[in-house]
């Protein structure tokens, strides 16, 4: 019990699960499938060193002085043009730069949610999204993810018909943590429900560019004609997470309100990191860079899946994503993911247990998330072999 | 009227005043005393270019990969040691890195304030602080600033004896917008009241290193023995605001809660900018750099004050700060600062009108803030001369 009168919205908040995981990652002996980090092997360090040095030489004052809250104008325009060209946003949509994709979730929550308001997430969902909604004291309802995305009928029958909801949070493409992509049909249905039941959709799309098989599915934003969708994206998985460059597009009134909130949060995203992202994209071939990432992640994903079929018992199932950086493993219900996590860590292998990805983390879950993007092939094989042994001997 | 059901805390928020000011700053013909930017002439662009290039060459993966929420450990330790050595924090105090000093205000507000909770600020105060508290639907009461800082008797008699308050927000050293420093006696009294009336103090100290005359006054944090003070600092005014590197120290439970909230806000501050600040401070003489800033700002402050005595009517008064980057001008009550602002902008001179710095911005105020740190001596003279004419002809 604390003596400090924390705000109602934050008094129950605890970051210990994630923070414990971060500490594990620091142990060099751990094979970690727990993070969500892109492969360090892809970082264009030499190129960015040259870019940074040149920025200081030619735009030093811009890089070091205050910038505007919406972001460095040429970067905003560059991102806007790319997203329009990719058919993700409409020609008239505006873009602002954020301090990572996480800030898009935070700003959306802040401008839309009162304490006690209801948010719907996928089950399972992204732990950073769930914790963010918790930090606003939102009530989180979740909807099962099927092999073609969120169960839209469940959403309508079990939630929308029973209560007023304010926001649906979805990662429709290569979802975190399942890797699953929502079908076009479900995207249309979700938008239709948004109009009928008057809620907004936060389409979080950090992994969308990382497709290594299958066909593109239009963004929910691109299908939106009535101003229901806030779209969030990021350079974290295609260039660097350490630079913390995210972006969003939103209906204009929401866009403006999010900017006002960003101003009181961090004034603006660092200018230097924005200039680096801008210069890299304009000067080098980011699409070739993304293609290399897709090739690597496709190989890692398929290798991890083949290791799973070799080393895990037959009763384990795993998703088969067409992109992104995660697999989701499901075990029979007798397994407790938290217990499995502890046993695995004793054997120096880490993952994210299912509970961390759930609106109600206190129940037992037998599923867990595996990340492959920042592990060597050798460690993927070794880690999955050990994990198989841990499951067998459970 | 909007159709969008914004959260109660943000529906009344408007950033238009600041945003309008930012747009003015973009007009190259405007002589702006409105911002709070350090002098671009001090930016060590060449040095930082070399530093950045070297970081990418030797620590590229660290710079580009995810970091931990508390910040880059060597930078945290470096800042901690400096603050301990300067007597600002105690030996056992911890430090975390934030995305600019503004984030310290935001995290403090988030962990401590429910909607409707009362915050006390100085009158006048920092617009970014005021707007941040507004964005949490806090009730803001303000306490007049006297020549030796916040009127502590007023605080007790008119506020503390009448209502429960949660937080006092103060910029005790070279206050924004007045430049005034709170006396040691008042700092002790404020701490004493915090214990008696059970509130916390956010000591925001972005300007503390920029002393060009007078004697150091101990930080409120250094006087705190009962865990009442959250201390916020920043590299914005001593190195670069564009890098967005701030930091804080807080009683351990508050510290932990602020970190959990930072995690859901932006995960961590960009690693590259932290590495740049770290490398600059360890490799170059930041104290010599700060000394150059103090010399320049001392000259600018004293020159702007001499221009004011020359060009402003005798009924204008102005503060005489011992450091920092702002002067506060007071005119007779018949002047309306907003009206004066519009007239000044017509003549291509900008400042921050008093209303922007007040808890109740809808009243009329005859005072205004002048910033001198990023203006040339020539523009200081020209701008103050024009402003004098605008006042004369009001």
């Amino acid at each position: 019990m604390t003596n400090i009168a924390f705000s109602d919205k934050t008094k129950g908040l605890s970051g210990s699960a994630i923070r414990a995981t971060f500490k594990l990652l620091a142990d060099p002996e751990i094979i970690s499938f727990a993070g969500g980090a892109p492969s360090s092997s892809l970082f264009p360090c030499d190129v960015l060193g040259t870019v940074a040095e040149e920025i200081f030489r030619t735009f030093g004052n811009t890089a070091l002085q205050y910038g505007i809250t919406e972001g460095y104008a040429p970067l905003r325009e560059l991102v806007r043009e790319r997203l329009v060209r990719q058919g993700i946003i409409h020609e008239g949509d505006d873009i602002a730069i954020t301090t990572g994709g996480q800030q898009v979730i935070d700003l959306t929550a802040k401008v839309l949610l009162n304490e006690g308001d209801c948010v719907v997430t996928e089950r399972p969902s992204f732990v950073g999204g769930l914790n963010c909604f918790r930090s606003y004291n939102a009530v989180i309802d979740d909807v099962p993810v099927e092999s073609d995305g969120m169960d839209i009928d469940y959403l309508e029958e079990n939630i929308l018909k029973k209560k007023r909801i304010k926001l649906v949070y979805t990662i429709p493409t290569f979802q975190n943590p399942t890797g699953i992509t929502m079908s076009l049909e479900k995207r249309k249905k979700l938008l239709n429900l948004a109009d009928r039941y008057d809620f907004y959709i936060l389409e979080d799309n950090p992994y969308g560019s990382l497709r290594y098989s299958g066909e593109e599915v239009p963004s929910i934003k691109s299908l939106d004609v009535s101003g229901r969708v806030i779209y969030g994206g990021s350079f974290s998985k295609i260039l660097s997470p350490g630079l913390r460059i995210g972006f969003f597009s939103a209906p204009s009134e929401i866009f403006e309100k999010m900017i006002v909130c960003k101003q009181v949060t961090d004034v603006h995203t660092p200018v230097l990191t924005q200039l680096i992202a801008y210069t890299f994209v304009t000067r080098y071939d980011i699409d070739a860079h993304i293609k290399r990432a897709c090739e690597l992640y496709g190989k890692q994903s398929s290798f991890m899946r083949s290791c799973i079929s070799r080393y895990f018992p037959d009763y384990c199932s795993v998703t088969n994503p067409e992109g992104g950086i995660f697999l989701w493993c499901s075990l029979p219900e007798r397994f407790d993911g938290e217990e499995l996590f502890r046993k695995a860590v004793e054997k120096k292998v880490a993952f994210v247990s299912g509970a961390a990805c759930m609106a109600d983390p206190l129940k037992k879950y037998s599923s867990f998330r595996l990340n492959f993007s920042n592990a060597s092939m050798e460690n993927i094989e070794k880690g999955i072999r050990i994990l198989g042994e841990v499951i067998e001997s459970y």
Side-chain angles (χ1 to χ4, degrees), chain A residues 62-81:
Chain A
T62 304
L64 294 172
Q65 196 51 279
Y66 279 113
I68 64 167
T69 305
E70 290 89 336
Y72 179 61
L75 178 62
R76 292 171 64 195
E77 181 54 21
L78 182 72
V79 170
R80 202 191 63 76
E81 278 173 10

Side-chain angles (χ1 to χ4, degrees), chain A residues 211-230:
Chain A
R211 177 175 287 282
Y212 32 80
S213 67
E215 294 293 319
E216 291 284 339
V217 184
S219 70
I220 305 176
K221 182 80 183 162
S222 71
L223 306 168
D224 178 27
V225 289
S226 51
R228 290 285 163 191
V229 181
I230 298 141

Side-chain angles (χ1 to χ4, degrees), chain A residues 51-247:
Chain A
V51 163
E53 192 276 331
E54 187 189 314
I55 287 168
F56 277 114
R57 197 155 26 79
T58 55
F59 285 95
N61 286 353
T62 304
L64 294 172
Q65 196 51 279
Y66 279 113
I68 64 167
T69 305
E70 290 89 336
Y72 179 61
L75 178 62
R76 292 171 64 195
E77 181 54 21
L78 182 72
V79 170
R80 202 191 63 76
E81 278 173 10
R82 277 182 66 84
L83 294 181
V84 168
R85 202 162 59 239
Q86 292 167 355
I88 291 175
I89 64 171
H90 298 113
E91 179 61 45
D93 291 335
D94 205 355
I95 285 287
I97 306 298
T98 56
T99 310
Q102 179 75 37
Q103 196 174 50
V104 179
I105 308 174
D106 187 51
L107 295 173
T108 302
K110 187 159 180 180
V111 305
L112 290 181
L113 300 179
N114 286 322
E115 298 191 35
D117 277 353
C118 296
V119 181
V120 169
T121 67
E122 287 148 339
R123 177 165 79 234
S125 184
F126 167 47
V127 58
L130 291 166
N131 281 338
C132 183
F133 298 130
R134 288 179 184 122
S135 81
Y136 289 95
N137 235 349
V139 173
I140 306 175
D141 287 288
D142 52 8
V143 172
V145 174
E146 302 174 302
S147 62
D148 60 348
M150 183 186 272
D151 183 341
I152 303 290
D153 294 333
Y154 180 101
L155 169 64
E156 182 168 20
E157 294 304 319
N158 294 52
I159 300 176
L160 297 175
K161 285 191 175 170
K162 295 181 179 171
K163 65 202 292 191
R164 167 98 179 87
I165 72 150
K166 207 63 177 293
L167 179 70
V168 168
Y169 172 66
T170 176
I171 306 161
T173 306
F174 318 136
Q175 200 241 4
N176 181 353
T178 62
I180 283 171
T181 296
M182 193 190 291
S183 67
L184 177 58
E185 194 193 342
K186 283 190 168 178
R187 292 175 191 226
K188 289 178 177 168
K189 277 189 183 170
L190 180 61
L191 265 172
N192 189 273
L193 291 179
D195 276 335
R196 272 201 289 145
Y197 290 92
D198 188 24
F199 60 82
Y200 293 89
I201 298 166
L202 173 53
E203 178 179 25
D204 191 8
N205 191 28
Y207 318 105
S209 307
L210 300 176
R211 177 175 287 282
Y212 32 80
S213 67
E215 294 293 319
E216 291 284 339
V217 184
S219 70
I220 305 176
K221 182 80 183 162
S222 71
L223 306 168
D224 178 27
V225 289
S226 51
R228 290 285 163 191
V229 181
I230 298 141
Y231 177 89
S234 170
F235 281 93
S236 290
K237 312 301 178 185
I238 57 171
L239 179 59
S240 150
L243 293 178
R244 311 302 305 127
I245 308 278
F247 46 85

